[in-house]
DNA sequence: CCGTATCCCGAGGGATACTG
DNA sequence: CAGTATCCCTCGGGATACGG
């Protein structure tokens, strides 16, 4: 909890964490958790439970190793998932949601389902738009 | 509704709109509606109602004209918002959510609120992570 | 198996200037 | 007011190769 230090120390948290403010950390966070690979990684860990690297790589068809690693690191750093190394031979690494990460499941699930449920409406809208633009 | 045309026409919709599939349109859509400026534009139109260009530009502190225009065009093309021109002098243009866009309010509101409510946890997690990385 | 390290290209996106 | 048009540069992100 970030506090404002005043004489009396009866300060309030600076809760102007408004993403509509320029440079606010919550804006960047919003961007990060809404990014393509982060959404899919968190979604997969949410439904499936703990996953290994290669497993995730397969599930998120099309992701490069670089982007997967990068995404996992960022999410780990943000405290949304935990990385556990089992020093076996060959080595085994598992990723799983932290309690904080769990709280994101709902919102992300809603967003993902929306995109599946309404993709056809959107594709239709695009065709209409392009057609109208073509006539002009 | 997109249907598969078979002899009997008792076909099912192709609902393999799975964002976990490589190249699936729903994946790109998910990426688009989760992007920073799109979330904020839709959020603002959701709370505030119809807005003018300059109004949005002020609310989304820090957005460039280029990105705002680009975001608005994409969202319009996708059928999420409607653009109305009032040929007054000076000209007036208003943006507002379509019914389809309205259905996104809930999911996006949840996501935005999450990032505000948990930004402090995340900042804390980052400090911890960086500190630990520093010692190694 | 689970990554890291490079190289490299093209898109993302900011700043600025101009137009109906 | 509400954009469009350019310039320009950063960096996202893919491909590839190598290391623990």
């Amino acid at each position: 909890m970030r506090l404002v230090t005043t004489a009396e120390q009866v300060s309030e948290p600076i809760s102007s964490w408004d993403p509509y403010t320029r440079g606010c950390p919550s804006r960047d966070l919003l961007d990060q958790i809404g990014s393509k690979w982060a959404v899919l990684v968190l979604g997969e860990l949410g439904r499936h439970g703990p996953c290994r690297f290669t497993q995730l790589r397969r599930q998120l068809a099309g992701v490069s190793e670089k982007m997967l690693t990068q995404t996992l690191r960022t999410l780990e750093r943000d405290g949304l998932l935990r990385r556990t190394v089992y020093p076996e031979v060959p080595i085994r690494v598992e990723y799983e949601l932290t309690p904080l990460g769990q709280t994101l499941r709902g919102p992300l699930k809603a967003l993902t389902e929306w995109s599946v449920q309404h993709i056809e409406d959107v594709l239709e809208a695009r065709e209409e738009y392009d057609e109208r633009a073509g006539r002009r």
Side-chain angles (χ1 to χ4, degrees), chain A residues 7 25 31-32 44 59 64 75 92 98 102 105 119-120:
Chain A
D31 198 29
Q32 165 59 23
E44 182 61 17
Q59 294 305 316
S64 67
L75 293 175
R92 184 165 58 95
T98 60
Q102 296 280 352
R105 286 185 63 184
I119 178 66
E120 301 191 350

Side-chain angles (χ1 to χ4, degrees), chain A residues 26-125:
Chain A
S26 69
R27 178 182 283 188
D28 296 328
L29 177 59
L30 187 54
D31 198 29
Q32 165 59 23
I33 62 178
S35 73
K36 184 170 51 180
W37 300 127
V39 170
L40 295 179
V41 164
L42 293 172
E44 182 61 17
L45 292 181
R47 324 183 280 194
H48 180 281
C51 284
R52 304 181 58 177
F53 186 86
T54 312
Q55 216 169 346
L56 285 171
R57 184 144 165 56
R58 261 195 309 271
Q59 294 305 316
L60 281 61
V63 68
S64 67
E65 291 193 348
K66 181 180 170 184
M67 286 314 298
L68 182 53
T69 302
Q70 199 173 103
T71 303
L72 288 170
R73 284 294 167 282
T74 304
L75 293 175
E76 185 194 2
R77 177 168 182 262
D78 285 356
L80 298 177
L81 58 79
R82 181 179 5 264
R83 178 175 182 271
T84 313
V85 182
Y86 299 91
E88 306 169 353
V89 178
I91 201 173
R92 184 165 58 95
V93 178
E94 280 198 347
Y95 298 90
E96 61 182 330
L97 295 183
T98 60
L100 181 59
Q102 296 280 352
T103 66
L104 241 182
R105 286 185 63 184
L108 288 187
K109 187 155 172 284
L111 200 68
T112 306
E113 285 178 349
W114 187 95
S115 73
V116 172
Q117 280 165 10
H118 297 279
I119 178 66
E120 301 191 350
D121 298 329
V122 170
L123 290 176
E124 225 170 283

Side-chain angles (χ1 to χ4, degrees), chain A residues 4-37:
Chain A
V4 181
T5 307
T6 64
E8 303 295 319
Q9 195 52 272
V10 199
S11 44
E12 317 154 50
I14 300 181
S15 48
S16 66
W17 293 122
D18 181 7
Y20 284 88
T21 305
R22 181 176 188 145
C24 181
S26 69
R27 178 182 283 188
D28 296 328
L29 177 59
L30 187 54
D31 198 29
Q32 165 59 23
I33 62 178
S35 73
K36 184 170 51 180
W37 300 127

